mmCIF file of all heavy atoms in Angstrom:
data_model
loop_
_atom_site.group_PDB
_atom_site.id
_atom_site.type_symbol
_atom_site.label_atom_id
_atom_site.label_comp_id
_atom_site.label_asym_id
_atom_site.label_seq_id
_atom_site.Cartn_x
_atom_site.Cartn_y
_atom_site.Cartn_z
ATOM 1 N N GLY A 146 3.781 -17.345 17.914
ATOM 2 C CA GLY A 146 3.577 -18.258 16.793
ATOM 3 C C GLY A 146 4.219 -19.605 17.021
ATOM 4 O O GLY A 146 3.651 -20.656 16.675
ATOM 5 N N VAL A 147 5.409 -19.613 17.620
ATOM 6 C CA VAL A 147 6.102 -20.865 17.900
ATOM 7 C C VAL A 147 5.358 -21.667 18.964
ATOM 8 O O VAL A 147 5.143 -22.880 18.825
ATOM 9 C CB VAL A 147 7.551 -20.587 18.346
ATOM 10 C CG1 VAL A 147 8.248 -21.893 18.727
ATOM 11 C CG2 VAL A 147 8.327 -19.879 17.243
ATOM 12 N N ILE A 148 4.946 -20.988 20.040
ATOM 13 C CA ILE A 148 4.207 -21.667 21.118
ATOM 14 C C ILE A 148 2.890 -22.220 20.594
ATOM 15 O O ILE A 148 2.479 -23.332 20.934
ATOM 16 C CB ILE A 148 3.957 -20.693 22.288
ATOM 17 C CG1 ILE A 148 5.279 -20.270 22.929
ATOM 18 C CG2 ILE A 148 3.052 -21.339 23.338
ATOM 19 C CD1 ILE A 148 5.133 -19.195 23.978
ATOM 20 N N GLY A 149 2.224 -21.446 19.729
ATOM 21 C CA GLY A 149 0.918 -21.852 19.227
ATOM 22 C C GLY A 149 0.954 -23.123 18.404
ATOM 23 O O GLY A 149 -0.026 -23.883 18.379
ATOM 24 N N ILE A 150 2.081 -23.371 17.729
ATOM 25 C CA ILE A 150 2.205 -24.585 16.939
ATOM 26 C C ILE A 150 2.017 -25.818 17.825
ATOM 27 O O ILE A 150 1.494 -26.849 17.396
ATOM 28 C CB ILE A 150 3.579 -24.624 16.239
ATOM 29 C CG1 ILE A 150 3.667 -23.502 15.202
ATOM 30 C CG2 ILE A 150 3.802 -25.963 15.553
ATOM 31 C CD1 ILE A 150 5.051 -23.324 14.611
ATOM 32 N N LEU A 151 2.411 -25.711 19.095
ATOM 33 C CA LEU A 151 2.271 -26.813 20.039
ATOM 34 C C LEU A 151 0.983 -26.739 20.840
ATOM 35 O O LEU A 151 0.276 -27.743 21.006
ATOM 36 C CB LEU A 151 3.473 -26.817 21.001
ATOM 37 C CG LEU A 151 4.862 -27.007 20.373
ATOM 38 C CD1 LEU A 151 5.941 -26.766 21.410
ATOM 39 C CD2 LEU A 151 4.994 -28.404 19.793
ATOM 40 N N ILE A 152 0.660 -25.538 21.342
ATOM 41 C CA ILE A 152 -0.443 -25.398 22.296
ATOM 42 C C ILE A 152 -1.812 -25.502 21.636
ATOM 43 O O ILE A 152 -2.734 -26.136 22.175
ATOM 44 C CB ILE A 152 -0.326 -24.057 23.055
ATOM 45 C CG1 ILE A 152 0.972 -24.031 23.870
ATOM 46 C CG2 ILE A 152 -1.530 -23.846 23.964
ATOM 47 C CD1 ILE A 152 1.056 -25.104 24.934
ATOM 48 N N THR A 153 -1.989 -24.882 20.470
ATOM 49 C CA THR A 153 -3.308 -24.880 19.823
ATOM 50 C C THR A 153 -3.828 -26.293 19.545
ATOM 51 O O THR A 153 -4.975 -26.607 19.898
ATOM 52 C CB THR A 153 -3.278 -24.044 18.533
ATOM 53 O OG1 THR A 153 -2.867 -22.711 18.845
ATOM 54 C CG2 THR A 153 -4.661 -24.010 17.882
ATOM 55 N N PRO A 154 -3.028 -27.183 18.935
ATOM 56 C CA PRO A 154 -3.524 -28.553 18.727
ATOM 57 C C PRO A 154 -3.826 -29.277 20.034
ATOM 58 O O PRO A 154 -4.754 -30.093 20.099
ATOM 59 C CB PRO A 154 -2.381 -29.233 17.971
ATOM 60 C CG PRO A 154 -1.627 -28.124 17.336
ATOM 61 C CD PRO A 154 -1.715 -26.984 18.300
ATOM 62 N N LEU A 155 -3.056 -28.989 21.083
ATOM 63 C CA LEU A 155 -3.299 -29.629 22.372
ATOM 64 C C LEU A 155 -4.640 -29.190 22.955
ATOM 65 O O LEU A 155 -5.404 -30.010 23.487
ATOM 66 C CB LEU A 155 -2.164 -29.300 23.349
ATOM 67 C CG LEU A 155 -0.806 -29.947 23.051
ATOM 68 C CD1 LEU A 155 0.242 -29.479 24.047
ATOM 69 C CD2 LEU A 155 -0.930 -31.467 23.082
ATOM 70 N N TRP A 156 -4.952 -27.912 22.863
ATOM 71 C CA TRP A 156 -6.245 -27.415 23.344
ATOM 72 C C TRP A 156 -7.381 -28.058 22.553
ATOM 73 O O TRP A 156 -8.356 -28.547 23.128
ATOM 74 C CB TRP A 156 -6.316 -25.891 23.199
ATOM 75 C CG TRP A 156 -5.905 -25.105 24.404
ATOM 76 C CD1 TRP A 156 -4.911 -24.175 24.492
ATOM 77 C CD2 TRP A 156 -6.498 -25.143 25.710
ATOM 78 N NE1 TRP A 156 -4.834 -23.636 25.754
ATOM 79 C CE2 TRP A 156 -5.810 -24.209 26.524
ATOM 80 C CE3 TRP A 156 -7.543 -25.863 26.276
ATOM 81 C CZ2 TRP A 156 -6.124 -23.994 27.863
ATOM 82 C CZ3 TRP A 156 -7.873 -25.654 27.625
ATOM 83 C CH2 TRP A 156 -7.164 -24.735 28.391
ATOM 84 N N MET A 157 -7.268 -28.056 21.235
ATOM 85 C CA MET A 157 -8.322 -28.628 20.410
ATOM 86 C C MET A 157 -8.432 -30.135 20.605
ATOM 87 O O MET A 157 -9.523 -30.719 20.479
ATOM 88 C CB MET A 157 -8.072 -28.313 18.933
ATOM 89 C CG MET A 157 -8.137 -26.840 18.582
ATOM 90 S SD MET A 157 -9.702 -26.066 19.071
ATOM 91 C CE MET A 157 -10.853 -26.953 18.009
ATOM 92 N N GLY A 158 -7.306 -30.769 20.945
ATOM 93 C CA GLY A 158 -7.311 -32.206 21.138
ATOM 94 C C GLY A 158 -8.185 -32.664 22.291
ATOM 95 O O GLY A 158 -8.621 -33.822 22.332
ATOM 96 N N ILE A 159 -8.471 -31.777 23.228
ATOM 97 C CA ILE A 159 -9.332 -32.125 24.359
ATOM 98 C C ILE A 159 -10.741 -32.444 23.886
ATOM 99 O O ILE A 159 -11.426 -33.300 24.454
ATOM 100 C CB ILE A 159 -9.366 -30.961 25.380
ATOM 101 C CG1 ILE A 159 -7.960 -30.710 25.935
ATOM 102 C CG2 ILE A 159 -10.342 -31.266 26.518
ATOM 103 C CD1 ILE A 159 -7.883 -29.493 26.837
ATOM 104 N N PHE A 160 -11.179 -31.805 22.803
ATOM 105 C CA PHE A 160 -12.567 -31.940 22.346
ATOM 106 C C PHE A 160 -12.693 -32.617 20.982
ATOM 107 O O PHE A 160 -13.795 -32.732 20.463
ATOM 108 C CB PHE A 160 -13.228 -30.562 22.271
ATOM 109 C CG PHE A 160 -13.134 -29.797 23.556
ATOM 110 C CD1 PHE A 160 -12.200 -28.795 23.710
ATOM 111 C CD2 PHE A 160 -13.966 -30.108 24.622
ATOM 112 C CE1 PHE A 160 -12.100 -28.092 24.901
ATOM 113 C CE2 PHE A 160 -13.866 -29.423 25.810
ATOM 114 C CZ PHE A 160 -12.931 -28.410 25.962
ATOM 115 N N MET A 161 -11.572 -33.035 20.421
ATOM 116 C CA MET A 161 -11.627 -33.636 19.093
ATOM 117 C C MET A 161 -10.947 -34.996 19.094
ATOM 118 O O MET A 161 -9.941 -35.196 19.778
ATOM 119 C CB MET A 161 -10.942 -32.732 18.059
ATOM 120 C CG MET A 161 -11.638 -31.403 17.847
ATOM 121 S SD MET A 161 -10.739 -30.407 16.653
ATOM 122 C CE MET A 161 -10.766 -31.496 15.242
ATOM 123 N N GLU A 162 -11.503 -35.906 18.340
ATOM 124 C CA GLU A 162 -10.909 -37.230 18.217
ATOM 125 C C GLU A 162 -9.765 -37.225 17.214
ATOM 126 O O GLU A 162 -8.827 -38.003 17.313
ATOM 127 C CB GLU A 162 -11.962 -38.241 17.760
ATOM 128 C CG GLU A 162 -13.094 -38.434 18.773
ATOM 129 C CD GLU A 162 -14.125 -39.413 18.276
ATOM 130 O OE1 GLU A 162 -13.952 -39.906 17.140
ATOM 131 O OE2 GLU A 162 -15.096 -39.681 18.999
ATOM 132 N N LYS A 163 -9.857 -36.309 16.243
ATOM 133 C CA LYS A 163 -8.873 -36.301 15.153
ATOM 134 C C LYS A 163 -7.771 -35.287 15.419
ATOM 135 O O LYS A 163 -7.929 -34.104 15.210
ATOM 136 C CB LYS A 163 -9.559 -35.956 13.834
ATOM 137 C CG LYS A 163 -8.621 -35.972 12.633
ATOM 138 C CD LYS A 163 -9.362 -35.518 11.388
ATOM 139 C CE LYS A 163 -8.432 -35.521 10.208
ATOM 140 N NZ LYS A 163 -9.086 -35.042 8.992
ATOM 141 N N GLN A 164 -6.668 -35.765 15.968
ATOM 142 C CA GLN A 164 -5.522 -34.876 16.144
ATOM 143 C C GLN A 164 -4.198 -35.607 16.019
ATOM 144 O O GLN A 164 -3.212 -35.238 16.610
ATOM 145 C CB GLN A 164 -5.544 -34.208 17.509
ATOM 146 C CG GLN A 164 -5.647 -35.205 18.650
ATOM 147 C CD GLN A 164 -6.917 -35.018 19.341
ATOM 148 O OE1 GLN A 164 -7.273 -33.878 19.445
ATOM 149 N NE2 GLN A 164 -7.594 -36.029 19.772
ATOM 150 N N GLN A 165 -4.207 -36.680 15.280
ATOM 151 C CA GLN A 165 -2.973 -37.429 15.113
ATOM 152 C C GLN A 165 -2.140 -36.883 13.954
ATOM 153 O O GLN A 165 -0.984 -37.247 13.814
ATOM 154 C CB GLN A 165 -3.301 -38.913 14.865
ATOM 155 C CG GLN A 165 -4.069 -39.543 16.011
ATOM 156 C CD GLN A 165 -3.347 -39.422 17.336
ATOM 157 O OE1 GLN A 165 -2.149 -39.624 17.403
ATOM 158 N NE2 GLN A 165 -4.068 -39.096 18.390
ATOM 159 N N GLU A 166 -2.772 -36.041 13.115
ATOM 160 C CA GLU A 166 -2.033 -35.497 11.974
ATOM 161 C C GLU A 166 -1.020 -34.464 12.447
ATOM 162 O O GLU A 166 -1.308 -33.654 13.314
ATOM 163 C CB GLU A 166 -3.000 -34.852 10.980
ATOM 164 C CG GLU A 166 -3.994 -35.841 10.417
ATOM 165 C CD GLU A 166 -4.956 -35.152 9.484
ATOM 166 O OE1 GLU A 166 -4.528 -34.771 8.385
ATOM 167 O OE2 GLU A 166 -6.114 -35.003 9.847
ATOM 168 N N ALA A 167 0.127 -34.494 11.893
ATOM 169 C CA ALA A 167 1.203 -33.608 12.343
ATOM 170 C C ALA A 167 1.221 -32.323 11.529
ATOM 171 O O ALA A 167 0.982 -32.334 10.336
ATOM 172 C CB ALA A 167 2.546 -34.311 12.204
ATOM 173 N N PHE A 168 1.538 -31.232 12.209
ATOM 174 C CA PHE A 168 1.747 -29.979 11.510
ATOM 175 C C PHE A 168 3.151 -29.965 10.917
ATOM 176 O O PHE A 168 4.045 -30.690 11.364
ATOM 177 C CB PHE A 168 1.617 -28.794 12.482
ATOM 178 C CG PHE A 168 0.210 -28.518 12.904
ATOM 179 C CD1 PHE A 168 -0.237 -28.927 14.149
ATOM 180 C CD2 PHE A 168 -0.662 -27.866 12.062
ATOM 181 C CE1 PHE A 168 -1.544 -28.673 14.531
ATOM 182 C CE2 PHE A 168 -1.965 -27.610 12.446
ATOM 183 C CZ PHE A 168 -2.405 -28.017 13.680
ATOM 184 N N ALA A 169 3.330 -29.153 9.907
ATOM 185 C CA ALA A 169 4.660 -29.017 9.304
ATOM 186 C C ALA A 169 5.476 -28.065 10.162
ATOM 187 O O ALA A 169 5.711 -26.911 9.805
ATOM 188 C CB ALA A 169 4.538 -28.501 7.876
#
Side-chain angles (χ1 to χ4, degrees):
V147 176
I148 295 173
I150 294 171
L151 299 171
I152 297 298
T153 302
L155 290 177
W156 267 121
M157 295 305 295
I159 298 174
F160 306 101
M161 295 179 59
E162 296 179 359
K163 182 184 179 182
Q164 54 245 322
Q165 300 304 317
E166 299 178 71
F168 287 102

